[in-house]
Amino acid sequence: VGDDLIERLGQLTASVAAAHSFAIVTDSNVGPLYGERVLSSFADRRVRLFTIPAGEANKSVATWTELTDSILAAGFGRDSVIVALGGGIVGDVAGFAAATFMRGIPYVQVPTTLMAMVDSSIGGKTGVNAPAGKNLIGAFHQPAAVFTDPRFLGTLPDRELRAGLAEVIKHGAIADAGYFSAVRNNLPELIASRGAAPMMREVIARSIEIKANVVARDERETGLRKILNFGHTIGHAIEALVNYELLHGEAISIGMCAEARIAERAGIAAPGTADAVRDALTLAGLPTELPRFSGPDILNAAASQKKSWVG
Ligand SMILES: NC(=O)c1ccc[n+]([C@@H]2O[C@H](COP(=O)([O-])OP(=O)(O)OC[C@H]3O[C@@H](n4cnc5c(N)ncnc54)[C@H](O)[C@@H]3O)[C@@H](O)[C@H]2O)c1
Ligand SMILES: [Zn+2]
């Protein structure tokens, strides 16, 4: 994590993953903003920019196929490295392309959303959505490195920044009560200052630490890693129900509220947990309920999801 990484990405990438060619994968929003700067950081190395259409609807098998075909058509071979420059969608799709391109080539993550910085760039889960549900096709493939420059947050829309805070609040809730309160008490400053506040760098670093620590102990999610799915069983069901009209962070915000209430009722979370979680999410400007759908609607949608307790 550093404030001066954008201009050094070429050299940093080559230092962790030496290669003949570098494929920078980005999306249609991030490319116009940062593509040129990142390309020029590669100086005279063989490098090319590949752009996928932005949006969750494009985190698909079709996008993965088209991306792979264009990288092949551009003459890239096994001696290539992929650079995922963008949010969680670019990271998941480009990471999956790297996992499968000629049976696997290295990649680095350059997250540009808060969601990607604190969560999706860490842990090596890559993949795309299937019509039947989120992330149903994918691979574990660890990046050679993750380079996070908080300055990217300067252009991130407000709603996207808030969605990223949902995962930050999740990290506090599952792992560190002190972190949870510190984040809760500084939400207005975190939102107003974008990447510029020193506090934002600390938040990014602490969230990375929490997630990396869990993943290091249970990479393949046989036990402990499931803790990172707090809010996601219901959250993923909601994303599918509303046809991805809600952002991932917004859906898991609603999911965390519901799951915390269930946990409290089942006697496995301390009384007051659900209220504390909802209070922090409300302060972050995130939705905490989904009045349009009934419990059974959500349960049915959850049954067809991977992170499911009924399916
Ligand atoms: N692999 C994992 O472990 C993991 C973890 C959490 C979430 N995810 C996945 O991540 C995805 C969500 O990621 P996301 O929230 O980053 O969404 P995203 O990738 O769609 O990015 C959000 C929006 O912001 C734009 N954008 C990105 N960076 C920008 C910048 N710096 N300035 C201006 N605009 C910018 C993007 O083009 C997009 O429109 C979901 O598909 C979710 O399932 C994966
Ligand atoms: Zn998530």
Side-chain angles (χ1 to χ4, degrees):
V1 182
D3 274 339
D4 58 346
L5 301 192
I6 301 179
E7 295 73 16
R8 296 164 52 211
L9 281 171
Q11 168 237 319
L12 287 168
T13 302
S15 72
V16 294
H20 177 258
S21 322
F22 298 87
I24 300 173
V25 178
T26 192
D27 75 16
S28 46
N29 294 328
V30 179
L33 290 169
Y34 299 104
E36 276 309 316
R37 247 157 103 193
V38 172
L39 273 175
S40 58
S41 77
F42 280 78
D44 50 8
R45 294 180 177 90
R46 182 168 185 266
V47 63
R48 194 163 152 180
L49 194 68
F50 297 88
T51 305
I52 64 172
E56 184 78 44
N58 299 305
K59 189 173 135 178
S60 62
V61 172
T63 301
W64 164 70
T65 308
E66 281 158 27
L67 174 63
T68 303
D69 285 346
S70 357
I71 299 175
L72 285 168
F76 282 65
R78 269 205 62 76
D79 192 7
S80 306
V81 165
I82 287 179
V83 179
L85 171 69
I89 291 176
V90 166
D92 283 9
V93 175
F96 186 49
T100 47
F101 190 82
M102 303 202 173
R103 300 203 177 83
I105 58 171
Y107 74 116
V108 302
Q109 292 271 17
V110 182
T112 63
T113 63
L114 185 59
M115 167 70 63
M117 291 178 185
V118 299
D119 202 311
S120 62
S121 66
I122 311 294
K125 279 192 184 175
T126 74
V128 295
N129 302 328
K134 284 258 309 179
N135 302 332
L136 294 180
I137 299 158
F140 287 97
H141 189 47
Q142 294 294 345
V146 182
F147 300 119
T148 297
D149 191 326
R151 286 179 301 163
F152 283 119
L153 299 179
T155 53
L156 190 67
D158 197 64
R159 184 177 169 200
E160 298 289 350
L161 191 82
R162 292 172 194 270
L165 286 169
E167 303 278 11
V168 169
I169 291 167
K170 179 192 80 178
H171 292 141
I174 62 174
D176 184 342
Y179 180 50
F180 182 87
S181 337
V183 168
R184 185 220 170 271
N185 296 333
N186 288 283
L187 281 168
E189 191 201 331
L190 283 171
I191 294 166
S193 74
R194 309 268 142 206
M199 169 94 191
M200 184 59 99
R201 277 196 295 288
E202 283 167 36
V203 162
I204 292 167
R206 180 64 187 134
S207 269
I208 291 173
E209 207 168 62
I210 289 172
K211 178 155 185 191
N213 181 35
V214 171
V215 174
R217 285 152 67 194
D218 175 23
E219 186 183 3
R220 300 278 157 149
E221 198 173 304
T222 53
L224 178 70
R225 187 168 181 168
K226 293 195 174 106
I227 198 171
L228 295 169
N229 299 340
F230 174 42
H232 285 61
T233 301
I234 291 177
H236 282 174
I238 287 172
E239 283 190 86
L241 259 186
V242 302
N243 210 9
Y244 302 108
E245 269 168 40
L246 288 173
L247 300 178
H248 175 71
E250 294 169 341
I252 66 144
S253 173
I254 299 167
M256 283 191 281
C257 289
E259 291 179 21
R261 278 200 305 274
I262 294 169
E264 235 183 84
R265 243 179 261 164
I268 55 173
T273 305
D275 280 348
V277 167
R278 198 188 49 222
D279 161 67
L281 294 165
T282 305
L283 276 175
L286 287 159
T288 55
E289 54 189 311
L290 188 65
R292 271 193 285 156
F293 293 94
S294 70
D297 289 339
I298 296 176
L299 202 64
N300 282 337
S304 66
Q305 299 286 321
K306 184 162 50 69
K307 284 172 185 170
S308 165
W309 75 99
V310 281

